[in-house]
Amino acid sequence: MTLDDLRVFVAVCRAGSLSAVARELGCTQSAVSQHVKRLERETGVALLERQPRGVVPTRAGRILEEAAAEGISGLDLAVRRLRDLGSGEHGYVRVATGATTVRHFMSDAVVAFRRRYPEVNLEFRTVSSGRGSFDALADGTLDLAWITLGPPVRGIEQRAVVELPWVLAVRRDDPLAGREGVDAADLAGLRVIRLPPNSASAAHLEAACAEAGVRFAYDTSVADWDTALLLAELGVGRAVVPAFPGLEQAGDGTLRLLPLPGLRPLPVGWAVRRWDALGPAARAFADTVVRHRRGQRAIARVPASTARTALPPPPRSPEGPPPGAASSTG
């Protein structure tokens, strides 16, 4: 068996389709199938089960997929480190974020990090779901992912950084705008703007409401928190959103933000494949973000055991605009 055989097999298991992987690789479905057949001949067991709508790994296939994914990720990390050593670069950090994460959670940390480590390349990729972030972490294409924390995920470590209280956003001419806060009981039956239905933040909000015995009615659905706030500011509806950093400065006074102390706060933070497998640059960036978020009710830090291999102290430079610019799609 070859490394290419294993890469293709892992891709097929995750996509659930030979044809989808063939399209991604720019080859024929027969060529993808040959990789799988070679592995089956080598192992002597069936690795995939054909179904009407694709393929799924057999029990033996799941064992091989897990081991292959772990091994490939380790090899890719080693190759990246060897290239850094050979080229004399200081490394790079690849981060998965949501559409507005960099603006609200990382802007000050990015500036501080770039000033301190100007030779480190920062790359931000917008990922639309937690599942997509976990897959990218697992296959080694990303180092860190900023997520809404949820249930444990096999092969992924999650670390909470801050807990965000919920607020009700209304226009200043709304009947509720004069209140200092809103009790959970007053939310029952309230019509609000719906957060992205498949997002972890929406799932957490629904669970927190269920604990408080609250059920919302929805008229409008949005793709992110900023859009929900904009619609509330325009008077299209009311929005329940987490009180993310910088929210208190949102708008021109048209918007009122009413605390919802009866709802369990939203935990957000880092996800990685393994903390002890992070390179020094990625660990330093993760810890920089944590330090800058301490004011937002920080509840955890990157474990001390993962920060022992630090980047060497950079040469001192005068204060000024950060050299270079971090690439970002968020």
Side-chain angles (χ1 to χ4, degrees), residues 168 190-194 216-220 237-240:
L168 178 66
L190 198 69
R191 300 188 71 82
V192 299
I193 297 166
R194 187 183 184 93
F216 291 130
Y218 299 107
D219 329 314
T220 310
R238 297 156 170 163
V240 177

Side-chain angles (χ1 to χ4, degrees), residues 198-283:
N198 297 324
S199 67
S201 57
H204 180 97
L205 176 59
E206 290 184 3
C209 287
E211 292 171 4
V214 173
R215 190 177 184 86
F216 291 130
Y218 299 107
D219 329 314
T220 310
S221 182
V222 296
D224 56 71
W225 301 339
D226 279 347
T227 304
L229 286 170
L230 175 60
L231 294 179
E233 189 173 352
L234 294 173
V236 173
R238 297 156 170 163
V240 177
V241 297
F244 47 80
L247 180 58
E248 62 275 8
Q249 284 83 35
D252 58 1
T254 305
L255 203 62
R256 285 296 315 279
L257 304 173
L258 311 177
L260 298 172
L263 297 184
R264 175 166 48 91
L266 180 75
V268 297
W270 288 120
V272 301
R273 188 175 66 86
R274 286 204 336 254
W275 285 107
D276 60 7
L278 281 180
R283 287 199 296 270

Side-chain angles (χ1 to χ4, degrees), residues 91-269:
Y92 51 88
V93 183
R94 300 160 304 165
V95 185
T97 69
T100 59
T101 298
V102 175
R103 179 188 307 137
H104 294 307
F105 293 96
M106 300 182 186
S107 57
D108 49 358
V110 168
V111 172
F113 184 83
R114 294 296 281 155
R115 283 177 173 159
R116 185 168 175 79
Y117 302 109
E119 299 302 318
V120 174
N121 179 46
L122 284 174
E123 179 181 345
F124 296 99
R125 301 184 191 176
T126 300
V127 180
S128 59
S129 68
R131 183 70 263 171
S133 295
F134 297 149
D135 287 345
L137 292 172
D139 64 23
T141 58
L142 290 173
D143 303 304
L144 298 158
W146 184 265
I147 64 166
T148 296
L149 271 67
V153 177
R154 189 183 70 175
I156 299 295
E157 296 182 20
Q158 302 180 49
R159 293 288 185 270
V161 176
V162 293
E163 286 187 332
L164 306 175
W166 294 98
V167 295
L168 178 66
V170 300
R171 273 179 64 92
R172 63 184 174 191
D173 56 0
D174 188 282
L176 297 175
R179 299 192 183 189
E180 295 299 318
V182 179
D183 293 332
D186 296 332
L187 296 174
L190 198 69
R191 300 188 71 82
V192 299
I193 297 166
R194 187 183 184 93
L195 296 180
N198 297 324
S199 67
S201 57
H204 180 97
L205 176 59
E206 290 184 3
C209 287
E211 292 171 4
V214 173
R215 190 177 184 86
F216 291 130
Y218 299 107
D219 329 314
T220 310
S221 182
V222 296
D224 56 71
W225 301 339
D226 279 347
T227 304
L229 286 170
L230 175 60
L231 294 179
E233 189 173 352
L234 294 173
V236 173
R238 297 156 170 163
V240 177
V241 297
F244 47 80
L247 180 58
E248 62 275 8
Q249 284 83 35
D252 58 1
T254 305
L255 203 62
R256 285 296 315 279
L257 304 173
L258 311 177
L260 298 172
L263 297 184
R264 175 166 48 91
L266 180 75
V268 297

